[in-house]
Amino acid sequence: MSNTIVNEMKIVKAESSKIQDVDFDNIDFGRVFTDHMFSCDFKDGKWQTPEITPYQPLTIDPSARVFHYGQAVFEGMKAFKDDKDAVWLFRPEDNFNRINISAKRLAMPEFPKEYFFNGLETLLKLDKEWVKKGDGNALYIRPFIIASEPAISASPAEEYKFMIICSPVKAYYKDKIKVVIAEKYSRSADGGVGFAKAAGNYAAQFYPTKLVQETGFHQVIWTDANTHEYLEEAGTMNIFFRINDKLVTAPTSDRILDGITRKSIIQIAKDNNIEVDIRPVTVKEIKEAAKDGSLKEIFGSGTAAVVSPISAFKHGEEVFDVVEPENTYHGMFKRQLMDIQYNIAEDKHGWRYKI
């Protein structure tokens, strides 16, 4: 290994790459990781010198507060490679802002912007060969912060670890999915942490999701905690409905994540002169639209999933198939979004970020 200091960042390069051992045509989402990782510790009231090292296990005390009090937040990003071997990020400043919003909500220190972008760029340059060309290929990037201080005391930690790891990926959902509308369980509540990418939000989803998967469905459409009358998110995605030719989605709130793909789809819809209605959406309304034929599409959006069509939904004992028109919004949105991400189409909103 070679040790260097670049821009006040310690870099220890891997002696050799493991990339030759990876079958990129048959890869499970999020199970293979690149050669290097970025880390930075928060101690004595400030962030220390960041470093990039070979990807390796961590040594962490069993009493680290993350294990006992759940101080953990994360982000999901992707890097894309165009036909000229240039690597691009998509709206990374939104990810940077959101991880600090999440951190603040969990009483964690915000991470410096210079460290974030310098670490991200250096890491991607080192592991550039892991970003593969081709439609659907990407490098998934996972920044996260955990409370690392060894102390079993129910209060915010005084030590943290910020890290970035990367994983080559293909599609998250290969087929259309079927969902169940929640009637009992809730993802989040007013005044809670639903708007943050807190690790515990996802852990709390696993059990109700497991229950619906046992019945042949894939995900849960979450409803409001008070009445279960309003539709909010689909599994790990924001959710959209096409009613006739109008695109409808719920507004962000304390309960709903401000999805970056969601915001991009709303803008792309407007660019295509599609009417977008951002408002509370009731279960009753969507069921009635399914019955009278005005419900044309349901789809979810997210960094991992990009755009995922929903073929059927269940509420109570009723199951509704979603019969799509020939030319779908979700297909158009996904294509136009990916063409921007892969540097194929014009980026008139300045979303791309070149590495």
Side-chain angles (χ1 to χ4, degrees):
M1 299 182 195
S2 61
N3 294 11
T4 56
I5 302 293
V6 179
N7 295 329
E8 297 186 3
M9 178 168 54
K10 181 181 179 182
I11 300 174
V12 182
K13 293 183 180 179
E15 291 181 351
S16 61
S17 177
K18 57 195 177 191
I19 194 169
Q20 66 275 0
D21 299 324
V22 178
D23 180 1
F24 285 90
D25 293 325
N26 298 286
I27 198 164
D28 289 336
F29 196 101
R31 292 185 178 272
V32 174
F33 296 92
T34 62
D35 293 319
H36 298 91
M37 63 187 191
F38 172 87
S39 63
C40 186
D41 291 323
F42 183 89
K43 293 181 178 180
D44 302 322
K46 63 181 181 179
W47 290 101
Q48 305 297 306
T49 302
E51 62 179 18
I52 288 177
T53 60
Y55 185 92
Q56 58 192 286
L58 297 177
T59 299
I60 190 165
D61 199 288
S63 63
R65 294 197 196 213
V66 65
F67 298 136
H68 305 276
Y69 306 109
Q71 276 186 294
V73 297
F74 68 93
E75 270 301 315
M77 309 171 64
K78 280 181 177 175
F80 308 88
K81 183 174 283 186
D82 67 20
D83 288 339
K84 296 180 180 178
D85 283 336
V87 174
W88 302 85
L89 295 173
F90 183 73
R91 304 186 70 165
E93 187 130 356
D94 290 280
N95 295 103
F96 166 74
N97 290 333
R98 194 170 62 181
I99 198 169
N100 278 338
I101 289 169
S102 299
K104 185 176 181 180
R105 178 60 181 84
L106 270 69
M108 305 167 79
E110 296 178 37
F111 196 65
K113 186 173 183 178
E114 181 183 358
Y115 282 9
F116 181 87
F117 279 93
N118 189 25
L120 194 55
E121 290 194 38
T122 306
L123 183 62
L124 290 176
K125 287 174 182 176
L126 279 173
D127 287 342
K128 181 179 179 180
E129 296 307 311
W130 289 83
V131 191
K132 295 301 181 183
K133 296 179 187 177
D135 210 30
N137 291 325
L139 188 70
Y140 189 84
I141 303 165
R142 171 51 57 86
F144 63 98
I145 313 174
I146 59 171
S148 56
E149 182 189 12
I152 302 177
S153 176
S155 60
E158 295 183 4
E159 296 178 5
Y160 298 87
K161 183 176 285 290
F162 179 98
M163 299 193 69
I164 304 174
I165 57 176
C166 303
S167 174
V169 296
K170 288 185 174 291
Y172 192 76
Y173 296 117
K174 295 181 175 62
D175 302 307
K176 294 182 179 181
I177 61 174
K178 298 189 298 180
V179 298
V180 174
I181 295 175
E183 297 180 87
K184 176 183 177 182
Y185 296 101
S186 300
R187 177 186 175 274
S188 59
D190 290 337
V193 295
F195 68 91
K197 283 189 77 72
N201 287 349
Y202 295 80
Q205 294 184 36
F206 294 158
Y207 177 67
T209 302
K210 177 177 179 288
L211 294 180
V212 305
Q213 289 173 346
E214 289 172 351
T215 66
F217 288 77
H218 301 98
Q219 284 288 348
V220 178
I221 295 185
W222 302 104
T223 49
D224 69 290
N226 293 329
T227 67
H228 294 292
E229 293 178 3
Y230 293 92
L231 296 158
E232 299 198 327
E233 288 194 10
T236 56
M237 305 179 290
N238 294 116
I239 189 164
F240 290 89
F241 306 92
R242 176 183 174 183
I243 300 176
N244 290 319
D245 290 332
K246 184 186 294 184
L247 189 66
V248 181
T249 191
T252 55
S253 66
D254 282 354
R255 307 182 306 274
I256 299 177
L257 185 72
D258 186 13
I260 295 164
T261 308
R262 172 189 177 275
K263 290 190 288 192
S264 304
I265 286 173
I266 290 170
Q267 184 59 59
I268 290 171
K270 292 177 179 178
D271 292 344
N272 285 276
N273 297 314
I274 293 169
E275 184 180 355
V276 181
D277 200 359
I278 302 173
R279 58 169 173 79
V281 183
T282 66
V283 177
K284 180 181 178 182
E285 173 189 1
I286 297 304
K287 289 172 68 174
E288 288 178 351
K291 290 174 182 177
D292 67 24
S294 60
L295 180 65
K296 306 299 184 183
E297 300 176 53
I298 307 177
F299 59 91
S301 70
T303 299
V306 189
V307 178
S308 293
I310 292 169
S311 62
F313 69 92
K314 180 181 180 182
H315 182 250
E317 297 303 315
E318 295 180 287
V319 177
F320 300 87
D321 292 320
V322 181
V323 182
E324 296 177 345
E326 185 175 339
N327 297 313
T328 63
Y329 282 180
H330 70 74
M332 177 179 64
F333 295 151
K334 184 175 183 178
R335 184 68 271 156
Q336 291 187 17
L337 182 63
M338 291 177 67
D339 283 351
I340 296 170
Q341 291 172 332
Y342 286 92
N343 194 29
I344 296 170
E346 178 189 2
D347 177 23
K348 59 185 178 182
H349 299 294
W351 290 339
R352 279 195 300 262
Y353 181 99
K354 190 174 183 179
I355 296 299

